[in-house]
Amino acid sequence: DTEVTQTPKHLVMGMTNKKSLKCEQHMGHRAMYWYKQKAKKPPELMFVYSYEKLSINESVPSRFSPECPNSSLLNLHLHALQPEDSALYLCASSLATGGQGVAEAFFGQGTRLTVV
Amino acid sequence: SQQGEEDPQALSIQEGENATMNCSYKTSINNLQWYRQNSGRGLVHLILIRSNEREKHSGRLRVTLDTSKKSSSLLITASRAADTASYFCATAAVDGTASKLTFGTGTRLQVTL
């Protein structure tokens, strides 16, 4: 199974709502990532988890809160978002290479988030 | 901030022609990867080239890497309409104790019949 599953596929939320994005993989990958992608732009890294520990936070606002409850799951909790946070949120996973650089990353299909 | 800049930003060719995309980056890397994205959905890994490699082939894909110039190119030979997509280079590097993948600006490829 070389699949990364993201739910939901689409999400519309108000600025006062709290919601969560979910990502799941069963490839035994111990590195997991959240990316944000605006239209016609490249994916921008938000967070990196390595062995269930947060390794990289690319200065993401605290209204985005990641969580890695186990080696197969990655969540992104959303609270008090702004309309400019509307984007495609992509989850990815890869083998953890012990500091030798990221191996091939497998991406989910993304959650298209609209903040109203 | 983006690690890689790609050119051209957009490329339109006819089926059967070759497509070449270039990527330049700024800092040291462990490897460089190319990904494809259809219609703003998930990215699909195409090929990985390590920093000590100069050229790699996979089917109709040929990737080169010049670490002295901090640049890479992706060649798609005998293109097909199904190759229409956005293509991104991504540099893999170690940041502290973790590794991360940083994407270039991308090339939008249109292959027409």
Side-chain angles (χ1 to χ4, degrees):
Chain A
D1 182 5
T2 57
E3 197 170 281
V4 175
T5 304
Q6 287 188 246
T7 54
K9 286 186 171 51
H10 299 274
L11 178 63
V12 179
M13 61 184 290
M15 289 188 283
T16 59
N17 291 160
K18 286 185 181 180
K19 296 287 185 184
S20 296
L21 309 185
K22 184 177 176 180
C23 174
E24 191 168 3
Q25 57 88 16
H26 296 286
M27 293 177 277
H29 291 167
R30 303 306 291 275
M32 296 186 78
Y33 314 83
W34 279 115
Y35 283 85
K36 172 183 177 179
Q37 186 178 26
K38 302 282 266 185
K40 297 188 178 180
K41 296 291 187 183
E44 291 183 11
L45 183 65
M46 300 174 73
F47 303 104
V48 178
Y49 271 84
S50 180
Y51 293 92
E52 295 87 71
K53 287 185 169 43
L54 182 63
S55 300
I56 295 176
N57 176 342
E58 294 282 79
S59 302
V60 178
S62 60
R63 57 185 184 270
F64 295 92
S65 175
E67 178 196 20
C68 190
N70 60 55
S71 60
S72 298
L73 285 175
L74 186 65
N75 297 321
L76 185 63
H77 303 298
L78 314 172
H79 173 54
L81 294 193
Q82 302 297 311
E84 58 264 30
D85 296 321
S86 298
L88 181 68
Y89 288 84
L90 293 160
C91 172
S93 70
S94 73
L95 290 171
T97 59
Q100 294 176 26
V102 178
E104 172 189 358
F106 292 79
F107 280 80
Q109 290 299 297
T111 293
R112 192 163 297 283
L113 174 68
T114 303
V115 182
V116 297
Chain B
S1 61
Q2 263 76 55
Q3 168 74 298
E5 297 289 329
E6 290 181 59
D7 78 271
Q9 289 187 346
L11 180 60
S12 184
I13 59 174
Q14 290 193 315
E15 207 172 43
E17 294 180 334
N18 296 342
T20 300
M21 297 161 235
N22 302 296
C23 168
S24 61
Y25 58 92
K26 297 175 184 173
T27 61
S28 297
I29 61 172
N30 294 95
N31 66 64
L32 186 142
Q33 306 177 29
W34 286 88
Y35 288 80
R36 166 197 167 121
Q37 185 177 37
N38 285 84
S39 303
R41 300 308 290 185
L43 287 91
V44 175
H45 181 268
L46 296 176
I47 195 165
L48 180 155
I49 186 165
R50 300 187 195 287
S51 58
N52 60 356
E53 298 176 309
R54 292 296 168 258
E55 188 170 313
K56 201 159 183 182
H57 296 253
S58 176
R60 293 184 296 114
L61 305 180
R62 172 179 170 256
V63 169
T64 62
L65 178 65
D66 186 334
T67 52
S68 66
K69 295 181 179 178
K70 291 187 168 57
S71 67
S72 174
S73 68
L74 171 68
L75 169 67
I76 304 174
T77 60
S79 63
R80 305 166 181 167
D83 294 329
T84 295
S86 291
Y87 292 82
F88 295 95
C89 67
T91 51
V94 176
D95 183 340
T97 58
S99 299
K100 66 180 187 180
L101 200 59
T102 306
F103 285 84
T105 50
T107 294
R108 291 189 304 280
L109 174 65
Q110 176 79 40
V111 182
T112 56
L113 295 171

